[in-house]
Amino acid sequence: MLSIKRKEAILEVIKKQDVVTIQQLIDAVGASESTIRRDLIELEKEEQLTRVHGGASLQKRRHDEPSMIEKTTRNKEEKQGIAMYAAKAVQPGSCIYLDAGSTTYEMIPYLADRDLLVVTNGIQHVQTLMEYGIETYIIGGKVKPQTGALVGTKAVESLRFYRFDYAFLGMNGVALDGYTTPDPEEANVKQTAMDNSATSFVLADHTKFDQVSFAYVQAVEQAIIITSPNTDQSKVKSLEKLTTIEVSS
Amino acid sequence: MLSIKRKEAILEVIKKQDVVTIQQLIDAVGASESTIRRDLIELEKEEQLTRVHGGASLQKRRHDEPSMIEKTTRNKEEKQGIAMYAAKAVQPGSCIYLDAGSTTYEMIPYLADRDLLVVTNGIQHVQTLMEYGIETYIIGGKVKPQTGALVGTKAVESLRFYRFDYAFLGMNGVALDGYTTPDPEEANVKQTAMDNSATSFVLADHTKFDQVSFAYVQAVEQAIIITSPNTDQSKVKSLEKLTTIEVSS
DNA sequence: GATTGACTGTGAATAGTTTTGATTATAAAC
DNA sequence: GTTTATAATCAAAACTATTCACAGTCAATC
């Protein structure tokens, strides 16, 4: 058996059970103890699992924390709930726009295997989208150093040539005044993405409500807001004439 | 059987199974072990598959963190020498195009602090460019899963709106026939980049000479070749009417 | 139109590496 | 201290690279 196949088999077993003994692997894979051991050492080096005395155990899901994004994300659970809900709104086979940012990033795992075409302006998103085997396009533009988002005239221009079934966007401010975000250049990009999308969703955790940031993006009614029950009800109320979806937890 | 047919057959088998042993290919294709091996070597060079001990597998979707690139890059030292030399050719304050690929990637450290504006089609390059504080633009387009390069119509279109002082490109084949590369879509992108650049440089280590790949990019005289002294002198000679720079080591 | 020689693609043989499983020594758990 | 797991070693097996020889192909030459 090819060593690469064997390793895949090992990972499969371990993913099912979380922990396995060497003996179980010997039986499952049909290789000698030495070989299994060597494979485990390599897999550990590749950070696919952790070896423990007597066998091996699953590492913390590496897909859930592929980069530094993970560690620095605040309100992660809340964002994940929102992201999961948002992803469910997508019909298989659609073309969607995925805005840069941590909340939209969380959607990626839920977008796999749905025959989607994803266009994004987030450099960070690309690698993860590829890992999940999703067909990915990226718009052009200037790379914003702090965030890895694509912004500027070039970004807006390249967006003009796409049309989306759905757009998913993060926002810093959600208020009656409209959606707002700190960077005017990013605001432009978000605006254009929304204009070119049949349906737009804004993903906003509770910290974003009643906030007004520097750059205006669009009026609130231009998108459906997806938020979590953590959000103060009175704040949601004030926007209630609009379509606001509250994720149940 | 014609070698092209054979390679197609090999790819077909491998696409079905993801991983194949040499023996399976011998049976499926009906050629000798030697021949299959040679085909696999070529197919690997064309980036259609990766060879593994005992057989071959579809290109692996590795996380292409820079560290990963470093480990997997062949002829790294040679490439670094070439890259350093190439970077020195750049006047401070210029706008340059940096093609996706491992050789051009090595240039990045030498491009820092020179007041440059870099446009690239390599997703991998972006993070490193940002780390070195280089002003970076990325062209739009479809993300090629195996390599993270941006290709396709959209990529070519977005390139039309840029003009460069210098373009630095990798190539799989450098021969009297011209520059060639396996993927036609990538060839298009390289072509356009060269067209929009005042001066183009092709970075080629010794393995690339006298090689002809599937897709034609440009005539040899359209770019200055930067190579290393490892390159067989007779091969360089045959191109000597053209500007070829040999990096001293 | 045959002959020659260079060139290419193929398969077989051989020399060189890597991988593997068995064995033995060392270390960790109880 | 006994048992069990891990690490280290080594020869056999499996795989790979290199070399060579053979058969076609092509072009130039006689």
Side-chain angles (χ1 to χ4, degrees):
Chain A
M1 186 186 239
L2 244 42
S3 87
I4 191 174
K5 270 274 171 206
R6 222 177 32 232
K7 288 196 202 168
E8 270 172 34
I10 291 175
L11 284 177
E12 209 169 297
V13 174
I14 217 170
K15 258 174 203 150
K16 256 191 224 131
Q17 315 185 201
D18 265 34
V19 250
V20 280
T21 64
I22 297 264
Q23 190 55 53
Q24 284 175 312
L25 288 174
I26 294 172
D27 297 342
V29 179
S32 75
E33 189 181 324
S34 310
T35 303
I36 298 283
R37 285 207 134 73
R38 278 188 279 251
D39 285 346
L40 289 181
I41 290 171
E42 285 180 32
L43 286 167
E44 181 169 48
K45 217 178 326 189
E46 290 168 22
E47 302 187 341
Q48 309 262 17
L49 49 76
T50 345
R51 248 146 31 104
V52 296
H53 199 87
S57 90
L58 194 57
Q59 191 120 25
K60 274 172 229 126
R61 301 213 148 259
R62 76 207 135 91
H63 268 204
D64 287 349
E65 50 177 353
S67 59
M68 46 198 154
I69 291 184
E70 163 91 10
K71 283 158 206 153
T72 51
T73 299
R74 268 193 276 265
N75 311 320
K76 175 145 183 268
E77 271 181 38
E78 185 180 353
K79 285 181 181 175
Q80 262 185 344
I82 294 171
M84 195 194 321
Y85 190 95
K88 279 189 194 147
V90 179
Q91 296 287 349
S94 327
C95 303
I96 72 174
Y97 177 78
L98 207 60
D99 192 26
S102 54
T103 314
T104 50
Y105 181 88
E106 298 291 345
M107 288 179 65
I108 299 176
Y110 308 108
L111 295 175
D113 305 317
R114 305 246 243 133
D115 187 26
L116 300 174
L117 191 158
V118 174
V119 180
T120 183
N121 74 323
I123 295 282
Q124 328 276 24
H125 292 23
V126 175
Q127 189 181 338
T128 312
L129 283 161
M130 284 182 353
E131 274 173 24
Y132 281 98
I134 299 167
E135 186 174 0
T136 305
Y137 280 70
I138 192 157
I139 69 170
K142 183 179 164 66
V143 183
K144 196 176 159 189
Q146 307 90 17
T147 59
L150 296 172
V151 297
T153 333
K154 297 280 184 192
V156 173
E157 268 171 28
S158 34
L159 260 175
R160 285 197 213 292
F161 298 101
Y162 295 100
R163 293 294 178 278
F164 312 109
D165 297 319
Y166 310 95
F168 296 91
L169 303 113
M171 284 298 167
N172 278 66
V174 175
L176 274 172
D177 296 9
Y179 301 114
T180 49
T181 202
D183 182 348
E185 297 222 82
E186 258 185 86
N188 258 327
V189 175
K190 286 180 205 284
Q191 219 166 57
T192 312
M194 286 170 82
D195 285 344
N196 293 339
S197 175
T199 315
S200 299
F201 295 91
V202 164
L203 280 55
D205 62 53
H206 73 278
T207 64
K208 308 296 169 55
F209 280 77
D210 274 2
Q211 298 291 317
V212 178
S213 219
F214 177 60
Y216 175 83
V217 180
Q218 292 260 19
V220 236
E221 57 269 24
Q222 294 300 313
I224 297 166
I225 303 169
I226 303 183
T227 185
S228 79
N230 294 14
T231 307
D232 185 342
Q233 289 307 305
S234 64
K235 292 180 182 172
V236 178
K237 276 274 162 57
S238 71
L239 300 170
E240 75 180 349
K241 51 172 181 172
L242 321 164
T243 326
T244 303
I245 297 174
E246 210 171 273
V247 179
S248 64
S249 55
Chain B
M1 186 189 259
L2 232 46
S3 96
I4 297 238
K5 273 276 166 208
R6 223 175 33 231
K7 288 196 200 169
E8 270 172 30
I10 291 175
L11 285 177
E12 207 170 301
V13 176
I14 214 171
K15 263 175 197 144
K16 246 187 240 145
Q17 314 187 203
D18 259 38
V19 202
V20 279
T21 64
I22 297 263
Q23 190 55 52
Q24 284 174 314
L25 288 174
I26 294 173
D27 297 342
V29 178
S32 75
E33 192 180 318
S34 309
T35 303
I36 299 282
R37 285 211 135 75
R38 278 188 277 252
D39 286 345
L40 290 181
I41 290 171
E42 286 180 32
L43 287 167
E44 181 172 48
K45 199 146 48 174
E46 292 168 21
E47 298 176 1
Q48 308 262 25
L49 49 77
T50 7
R51 253 150 22 108
V52 297
H53 197 93
S57 88
L58 272 187
Q59 207 85 24
K60 269 277 136 179
R61 32 163 188 280
R62 288 270 111 121
H63 336 216
D64 284 311
E65 347 145 7
S67 60
M68 204 62 200
I69 291 181
E70 278 180 58
K71 277 170 214 144
T72 49
T73 299
R74 268 194 270 267
N75 311 321
K76 178 149 180 266
E77 272 180 38
E78 185 180 353
K79 285 181 181 176
Q80 264 184 343
I82 294 171
M84 195 194 320
Y85 190 95
K88 280 188 193 148
V90 180
Q91 295 288 347
S94 326
C95 303
I96 72 174
Y97 177 77
L98 206 60
D99 192 27
S102 53
T103 314
T104 50
Y105 181 88
E106 298 290 345
M107 287 179 66
I108 300 178
Y110 308 108
L111 296 174
D113 305 319
R114 305 246 242 136
D115 186 26
L116 301 174
L117 190 157
V118 175
V119 180
T120 183
N121 75 324
I123 294 281
Q124 331 277 20
H125 292 23
V126 175
Q127 192 181 339
T128 312
L129 283 161
M130 285 184 349
E131 276 169 23
Y132 281 96
I134 298 166
E135 186 173 0
T136 306
Y137 280 70
I138 191 156
I139 70 171
K142 183 178 163 67
V143 183
K144 195 177 161 190
Q146 306 93 15
T147 59
L150 296 172
V151 298
T153 333
K154 298 280 183 191
V156 173
E157 268 172 28
S158 35
L159 260 175
R160 284 196 214 292
F161 299 101
Y162 296 99
R163 293 293 178 278
F164 313 109
D165 296 318
Y166 309 96
F168 295 92
L169 304 114
M171 284 299 167
N172 278 65
V174 175
L176 275 173
D177 296 9
Y179 300 115
T180 50
T181 202
D183 181 347
E185 297 221 83
E186 260 186 84
N188 259 326
V189 174
K190 286 180 205 282
Q191 221 167 54
T192 312
M194 287 171 81
D195 285 343
N196 293 338
S197 177
T199 314
S200 298
F201 295 91
V202 164
L203 281 54
D205 62 53
H206 74 278
T207 64
K208 308 297 167 56
F209 279 77
D210 275 3
Q211 298 289 318
V212 178
S213 221
F214 178 60
Y216 176 82
V217 180
Q218 292 261 19
V220 234
E221 57 268 24
Q222 295 300 314
I224 298 167
I225 303 169
I226 303 184
T227 185
S228 79
N230 294 16
T231 307
D232 185 342
Q233 290 307 306
S234 64
K235 292 179 181 173
V236 178
K237 277 273 163 55
S238 70
L239 300 169
E240 73 179 352
K241 50 170 183 172
L242 321 164
T243 327
T244 303
I245 297 175
E246 210 172 272
V247 178
S248 64
S249 56

